[in-house]
Amino acid sequence: NVWDKFHTFSGHTSSVNSLSWAPHQYGLILAAGSSDGSISILTLQSDRTWSECFIHQAHMVGCNAVSWAPFRVTPESDSPGIAPEPVAKRIVSGGCDNLVKMWRDCDNEGNSVDSRWQCERELVAHTDWVRDVAWAPSFSGHTDGHTDIVASCSHDGKVIIWKNRDSTGWNSHIIHTFSDVVWHLSWSLDGATLAVSGGDNRVTLWKEGVDGEWKQIKEIGKEIQTGG
């Protein structure tokens, strides 16, 4: 098979460090984070052209990572004829300012193209550049009784789990501090296992126990004794 290029976006002025596709329910939408500090959102329109909008100065020193929140809808209403509706699109980003930021699409609130994405929260816990962020998958599909979970990693060696239960606020938990920079994170499809890779040349897998503590369950190429 031959792959053909059908679009090129050249709107950034420095290296593009991260790409993330939105959940398919939103259509074909791509977020990109750049060392110029901005995040671009590219959307394929019905006429097969791409629209563009920016989150300018998302991270003042540079954006290293972006990740989309799972698709969710509002709880079912007790009133007849009122169907659940999709909640606002959200993304999480991490940058060279040591911050993790939550962004919400405010397109339905009358904002201009380049101000439609608003910062909901700045999360402070890392002490060096945030290298990757990953929003955990969700299969509940609804907002009621839901916990948002985001993982972040940094040049400070920390992997942090952020949780937001029923939109009550984000709480952080450091699951481990590695001896070297942590570069990348990836959730399993069910959102139960977190893969971590870093400057120590290792890939490790982590799961949350019933006690709420995160434990390493495997190092790739090496079995981990978990007891029992």
Side-chain angles (χ1 to χ4, degrees):
N1 293 335
V2 178
W3 287 74
D4 295 323
K5 180 176 69 176
F6 70 98
H7 185 70
T8 298
F9 173 67
S10 304
H12 288 289
T13 59
S14 191
S15 65
V16 177
N17 302 322
S18 180
L19 296 169
S20 180
W21 289 107
H24 69 88
Q25 295 93 336
Y26 294 130
L28 206 58
I29 307 177
L30 181 68
S34 170
S35 288
D36 63 16
S38 67
I39 298 170
S40 57
I41 311 293
L42 312 178
T43 303
L44 183 65
Q45 304 297 317
S46 58
D47 61 358
R48 308 303 292 175
T49 62
W50 290 84
S51 66
E52 305 162 359
C53 72
F54 281 89
I55 304 174
H56 294 290
Q57 298 182 337
H59 295 271
M60 294 298 293
V61 193
C63 179
N64 295 323
V66 290
S67 178
W68 289 84
F71 176 83
R72 294 206 314 275
V73 297
T74 56
E76 293 186 5
S77 174
D78 294 332
S79 302
I82 300 179
E85 296 181 353
V87 300
K89 305 179 191 73
R90 289 186 295 164
I91 60 176
V92 59
S93 64
C96 300
D97 50 9
N98 308 345
L99 295 175
V100 174
K101 292 187 177 184
M102 304 294 175
W103 304 88
R104 181 170 62 91
D105 184 6
C106 300
D107 184 38
N108 294 328
E109 299 176 15
N111 293 281
S112 64
V113 172
D114 282 344
S115 63
R116 60 181 284 181
W117 286 87
Q118 300 291 321
C119 184
E120 282 190 318
R121 189 67 57 87
E122 292 186 356
L123 304 180
V124 181
H126 289 292
T127 57
D128 208 332
W129 291 8
V130 178
R131 287 299 185 178
D132 202 6
V133 290
W135 209 305
S138 168
F139 293 94
S140 68
H142 291 80
T143 56
D144 54 332
H146 178 80
T147 299
D148 284 305
I149 302 176
V150 168
S152 63
C153 66
S154 167
H155 222 91
D156 62 15
K158 294 182 177 66
V159 175
I160 297 178
I161 299 294
W162 304 87
K163 289 187 177 184
N164 182 10
R165 176 70 176 176
D166 293 331
S167 301
T168 56
W170 291 92
N171 298 305
S172 65
H173 177 67
I174 300 172
I175 69 171
H176 191 70
T177 301
F178 289 83
S179 60
D180 209 329
V181 55
V182 184
W183 292 110
H184 294 295
L185 304 165
S186 182
W187 290 98
S188 60
L189 292 179
D190 62 359
T193 304
L194 180 68
V196 179
S197 67
D200 58 2
N201 307 331
R202 298 189 302 156
V203 176
T204 54
L205 305 182
W206 298 78
K207 287 180 72 75
E208 184 179 19
V210 294
D211 58 356
E213 293 298 316
W214 287 77
K215 296 179 175 61
Q216 181 181 328
I217 59 170
K218 187 176 179 63
E219 177 181 338
I220 302 301
K222 179 180 178 182
E223 294 297 330
I224 301 299
Q225 298 296 326
T226 58

